[in-house]
Amino acid sequence: MENSKKSKGTVCVQEGWKPQKGEPRVLPIYQSTTFKYDTSDQMADLFDLKASGYFYTRLQNPTNDYVAEKIKELEGGVAAMLTSSGQAANFYSIFNICSAGDHFVSTSTIYGGTYNLFAVTMKKLGIEVTFVDQDAPSEEIEKAFRPNTKAVFGESIANPGMNVLDIAKFADIAHKHGVPLIVDNTFPTPINCNPFEWGADIVTHSTTKYMDGHATSVGGAIVDSGNFDWDKYADKYPGLTTPDESYHGLIYTKAFGKGAFIVKATAQLMRDLGSIQAPMNAFLLNLGLETLHLRMERHCSNAQKVAEFLQSRPEVAWVHYPGLKGDKYYELARKYMPKGTCGVMTFGLKGGRDKSVKFMDSLGVVAIVTHVADARTCVLHPASHTHRQLSDQQLIEAGVAPDLIRLSVGIEDPEDIIADIAQALEKAVK
Ligand SMILES: *Cc1c(COP(=O)(O)O)cnc(C)c1O
């Protein structure tokens, strides 16, 4: 069994920490900032990246690395690292290969926090982004490329637009222009979608969502497929292919081969920016991962029932869920995530904003929280919460319908979720 490829459920439960004789059965929390060595030379070799080992938790910690190993196996990659948040994972994935004066392409319907990171904060660093319509024909999307374009970014399922990315199409476009495709795979998780199988080169996660799954810990992860040939485009990626003077002239692709991207992100970005995940959070994340395969199945079957229920109700104007037949993204979801998508959907009520507020205030089992993708069913009304300063017209321009309710279906018994939504719908239209 050791050398054969394990199925995902077994990876969820057993990969990462593998205790030897007499060691703890459960992944230990290495709650230590630092690590001891016997000689000065041993420590010096670590600082030169000549030997691998732990020396300071701002760069690496064993608890984190065991959990990253499990996520790497689930995605089918060659190297992975944890970060303190999904925001840090997406920032590092771009900043590891883009510097001031560079450019990248991103789909426009991405998570709001990522949109702001790309459009505002990266711009302040001198890195420009062009947003593209993910459903546009390839020729249209290709017009966004420039000589200094270094990456393409998209979300496998967009939060909260619920758009499913045509991963193979985007991988073809990226590779035709000699750049990697980075996919944020937070919503379907590797249980339901493996972007590497469709040509993506780097995968990122907000582990805060389904991977942790219990809303206990903010965290992120980056996984490298090892497939992008940085040396083939050496002039575009000097950070990976030319000497790093801060490590005595070491060249990442020469010294670390397929591990180059993750080693560089650890050795430079963690060293200088320090977005490490706390070992305690990595431990909680690992507990979540042990049941990810079971929870995703239940999230998807519950969400399918709830989406079909909403669609059948006269009070409901529209429902977006890629698992629904007739949804704009149904076919893409069947192709890239045949076992199911995720538990999140959006819908609107006839009568608009006021009805949405009354509906939400009438819920009991379903809670109002700023979160998605954990065990408990929850809702958010962007027009009243995250986007409340905007007028109805501005909301529409921002791609958030005034009546849009984002529902994240949890793993409770589906009858209770549906009964709660049914009674709240009745109260809302009274
Ligand atoms: C939440 C989220 C993020 C940001 O992750 P944090 O862990 O909150 O920093 C990034 N991408 C997607 C798709 C998300 O849903």
Side-chain angles (χ1 to χ4, degrees), residues 85-87 90 111 114 155 159 184 186-187 206 208-209 218-219 372:
S85 66
Q87 287 299 108
N90 284 330
Y111 171 69
T114 312
E155 290 177 359
N159 173 12
D184 181 331
T186 297
F187 267 19
S206 167
T208 316
K209 313 293 166 50
V218 173
V372 279

Side-chain angles (χ1 to χ4, degrees), residues 56-68:
Y56 189 53
T57 286
R58 172 159 33 81
L59 285 93
Q60 271 183 294
N61 175 282
T63 305
N64 295 24
D65 285 351
Y66 287 118
V67 181

